[in-house]
Amino acid sequence: MAHQYSCSACDFMVRSESEDEVVELVQNHAGEKHDMTVGENDVRDGIENVDVTADAG
Ligand SMILES: [Zn+2]
């Protein structure tokens, strides 16, 4: 299971097995690219949980 977040304002997408890491990366992205501050809970609300099936590493 991985956690994934797609930015609503651009094509940015981040996926990680650590939800905390996704939150951090999204917050960094929003700040750097969009000059926006997003709350941790807002990020978590937008996170999708995706099954990463065995696609060859
Ligand atoms: Zn973006």
Side-chain angles (χ1 to χ4, degrees):
M1 188 68 82
H3 310 283
Q4 176 177 306
Y5 185 97
S6 299
C7 180
S8 56
C10 74
D11 287 340
F12 176 82
M13 191 269 277
V14 61
R15 179 193 291 169
S16 172
E17 289 189 12
S18 161
E19 189 174 306
D20 289 342
E21 190 179 2
V22 174
V23 170
E24 188 180 323
L25 290 170
V26 169
Q27 287 180 321
N28 286 345
H29 168 81
E32 287 176 12
K33 294 289 181 187
H34 303 300
D35 203 22
M36 282 185 338
T37 303
V38 287
E40 180 178 334
N41 287 337
D42 289 335
V43 180
R44 290 192 195 275
D45 279 350
I47 286 179
E48 299 170 75
N49 295 316
V50 292
D51 242 331
V52 276
T53 44
D55 60 347

